[in-house]
């Protein structure tokens, strides 16, 4: 068995990120920037008011002033504010030439065109004025290559003058399940048959990623059928579930090899998910997940989602761990990295009482995995642990 970290590193070495395309901003959300996003303009380009009030000259304090006009967002006052003059101004409006301070309306009293102070104290010089370049300046790098294009970063790119962004094209992912016992969800079940759940789960785990899914359905436990299906795959990534162990009916590995797959590694020092395998079949990266649904979920979280992110140009494709306080004792760990289903409760993470990797109900009730490295000592309530959040 190889370590989890070594397996992830070797998986990423199997392929390079896919080619780049330029897409409109609204199609770029959730993808990764393929190049640095540089500001094409300065924001703000003019000094702007941060409040509703009056644009004045600080030197004219404590007033009074004569209100000569107004400045609104998109409709600036084009004149000059002279000594003793003020301009009514609204949030986001350009501060007129000559003015350098905003007297907020709550601290002002107006009688016709006459304006006087009516607050707790005079404003400081430059009060409530957003200076030129407060947010960013022309030519500044705003989004690094490999950063996820979140809604806020999409807005930032738009504000910076971009209508489209370079991203890696969508990843074509083929999903297949194997097993004579599996039936399409909702179909009638004969004795010994089971609803196939991994396909729907994997599709859900990839739903927020930039992928094109190809559902190959359920394949029988026949090496000829498996080999033919694998050989015909046209995808960047093939994800299988089931048949990855060493039993007489575990035919995925020999079928993949018969279809031309070079298996890079198989069996990982982790729990659940030890019998995961990965390799390359021509231009397709192959990840063989265990058929056990909880094992499939954990390995998809640690291998499938990160591989999609890596192929999409992510600078940091692995899921981010964070620390939390554990709510109950955990025994010393063995030689495999453990991923314990747990839930946040009263400010702590509490592991489920049962960790059987066939129990989807416990997985569905969990909101995180407690990650324990090989051979770590026993953990007491109140100790810090590493966790991975799960949806």
């Amino acid at each position: 068995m190889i370590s989890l970290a070594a397996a992830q590193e070797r998986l990423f070495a199997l392929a390079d990120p896919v080619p780049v395309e330029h897409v409109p901003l609204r199609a770029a959300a959730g993808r990764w920037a393929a190049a640095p996003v540089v500001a094409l303009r300065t924001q703000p380009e003019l000094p702007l008011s941060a409040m509703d009030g009056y644009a004045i000259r600080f030197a004219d304090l404590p007033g009074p002033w004569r209100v000569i006009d107004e400045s609104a967002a998109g409709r600036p006052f084009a004149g000059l504010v002279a000594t003793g003059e003020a301009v009514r101004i609204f949030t986001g409006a350009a501060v007129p030439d000559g003015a350098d301070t905003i007297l907020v309306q709550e601290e002002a009293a107006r009688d016709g065109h006459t304006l006087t102070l009516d607050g707790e104290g005079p404003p400081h010089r430059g009060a409530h004025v957003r200076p030129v370049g407060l947010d960013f300046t022309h030519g500044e790098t705003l989004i690094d290559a490999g950063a996820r294009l979140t809604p806020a970063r999409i807005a930032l790119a738009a504000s910076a003058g971009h209508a489209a962004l370079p991203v890696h094209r969508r990843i074509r992912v083929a999903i297949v399940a194997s097993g004579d016992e599996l039936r399409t969800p909702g179909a009638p079940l004969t004795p010994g048959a089971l609803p196939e759940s991994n396909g729907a789960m994997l599709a859900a785990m990839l739903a927020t990623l930039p992928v094109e899914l190809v559902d190959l359905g359920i394949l029988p436990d026949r090496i000829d059928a498996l080999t033919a299906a694998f050989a015909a795959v046209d995808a960047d990534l093939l994800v299988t579930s089931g048949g990855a162990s060493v039993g007489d009916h575990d035919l995925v590995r020999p079928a993949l090899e018969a279809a031309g797959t070079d298996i890079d590694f198989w069996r990982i020092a982790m729990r659940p998910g030890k019998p995961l395998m990965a390799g390359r079949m021509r231009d397709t990266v192959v990840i063989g997940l265990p058929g056990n649904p909880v094992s499939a979920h954990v390995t998809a979280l640690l291998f499938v989602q990160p591989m999609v992110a890596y192929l999409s140009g992510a600078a940091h494709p692995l899921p981010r761990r964070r620390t939390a306080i554990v709510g109950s004792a955990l025994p010393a760990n063995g030689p495999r990295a453990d991923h314990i289903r747990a839930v946040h409760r009263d400010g702590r993470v509490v592991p489920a009482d049962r960790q059987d990797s066939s129990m989807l109900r416990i997985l569905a009730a969990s909101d995180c995995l407690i990650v324990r490295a090989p051979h770590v000592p026993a953990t007491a309530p109140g100790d810090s642990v590493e966790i991975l959040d799960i949806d």
Side-chain angles (χ1 to χ4, degrees):
M1 293 185 292
I2 64 173
S3 71
L4 172 59
Q8 290 169 324
E9 183 178 352
R10 286 169 63 167
L11 177 67
F12 295 152
L14 291 174
D16 295 321
V18 299
V20 174
E21 62 184 6
H22 282 72
V23 300
L25 289 181
R26 296 192 182 196
R31 297 164 83 166
W32 283 267
V37 178
V38 176
L40 303 180
R41 55 182 297 275
T42 294
Q43 176 62 28
E45 294 179 313
L46 298 170
L48 301 179
S49 176
M51 301 287 286
D52 291 346
Y54 298 87
I56 63 171
R57 294 159 51 103
F58 181 80
D60 291 341
L61 284 165
W65 300 267
R66 182 171 64 89
V67 180
I68 59 171
D69 210 321
E70 73 172 33
S71 180
R75 292 185 290 105
F77 171 66
L80 177 71
V81 176
T83 300
E85 294 179 338
V87 168
R88 177 76 168 115
I89 198 166
F90 301 94
T91 301
V95 177
D97 290 341
D100 59 7
T101 301
I102 304 300
L103 177 64
V104 297
Q105 62 187 25
E106 293 85 357
E107 297 178 355
R110 182 173 176 179
D111 182 8
H113 293 290
T114 301
L115 179 72
T116 57
L117 280 176
D118 186 29
E120 297 180 357
H124 60 81
R125 186 186 296 274
H128 309 301
V129 174
R130 295 171 178 157
V132 171
L134 174 64
D135 199 357
F136 53 81
T137 58
H138 183 277
E140 189 176 359
T141 296
L142 303 180
I143 303 170
D144 292 331
R148 190 85 186 267
L149 293 172
T150 61
R153 288 173 180 154
I154 293 292
L156 176 61
S159 183
H162 293 271
L165 292 175
V167 296
H168 296 269
R169 65 162 173 78
R170 292 185 179 274
I171 311 302
R172 188 170 171 85
V173 181
I175 296 175
V176 61
S178 65
D180 289 338
E181 77 281 12
L182 300 178
R183 301 290 184 272
T184 302
L189 298 178
T190 56
L194 294 171
E196 197 283 305
S197 60
N198 286 347
M201 179 179 69
L202 291 169
M205 294 180 75
L206 296 172
T208 60
L209 296 176
V211 303
E212 295 178 7
L213 283 179
V214 179
D215 186 1
L216 300 181
I218 302 169
L219 297 181
D221 287 325
R222 294 201 333 266
I223 195 164
D224 60 335
L226 291 167
T227 301
F230 296 155
V233 166
D234 178 18
D236 303 299
L237 178 62
L238 168 63
V239 181
T240 70
S241 67
S245 193
V246 293
D248 291 342
H249 298 283
D250 293 315
L251 303 176
V252 169
R253 178 175 179 176
L256 284 170
E257 291 175 328
T261 302
D262 180 14
I263 301 296
D264 186 84
F265 61 87
W266 173 61
R267 299 205 310 167
I268 302 172
M270 63 178 289
R271 183 176 52 240
K274 179 179 73 172
L276 180 136
M277 61 183 165
R280 188 175 177 92
M281 182 178 63
R282 299 180 300 279
D283 294 329
T284 301
V285 175
V286 178
I287 302 177
L289 305 181
N292 189 298
V294 176
S295 299
H297 183 280
V298 173
T299 49
L301 178 69
L302 295 171
F303 289 91
V304 177
Q305 287 181 328
M307 191 60 185
V308 169
Y310 172 79
L311 293 173
S312 300
H316 304 286
L318 293 175
R320 294 185 183 274
R321 299 181 186 182
R322 62 185 182 89
T323 58
I325 303 301
V326 70
S328 59
L330 294 170
N333 196 24
R336 290 190 281 163
D338 206 356
H339 300 81
I340 299 171
R341 277 71 74 198
V343 63
H344 288 83
R345 185 181 301 144
D346 299 327
R348 299 192 173 196
V349 290
V350 180
D353 292 335
R354 302 181 68 179
Q355 293 291 321
D356 190 295
S357 60
S358 70
M359 299 181 70
L360 274 172
R361 185 173 181 177
I362 288 177
L363 175 66
S366 301
D367 56 23
C368 66
L369 300 174
I370 299 174
V371 182
R372 308 190 76 220
H375 304 296
V376 294
T379 301
D383 286 349
S384 292
V385 292
E386 282 194 327
I387 67 168
L388 287 173
D389 290 308
I390 57 176
D391 296 329

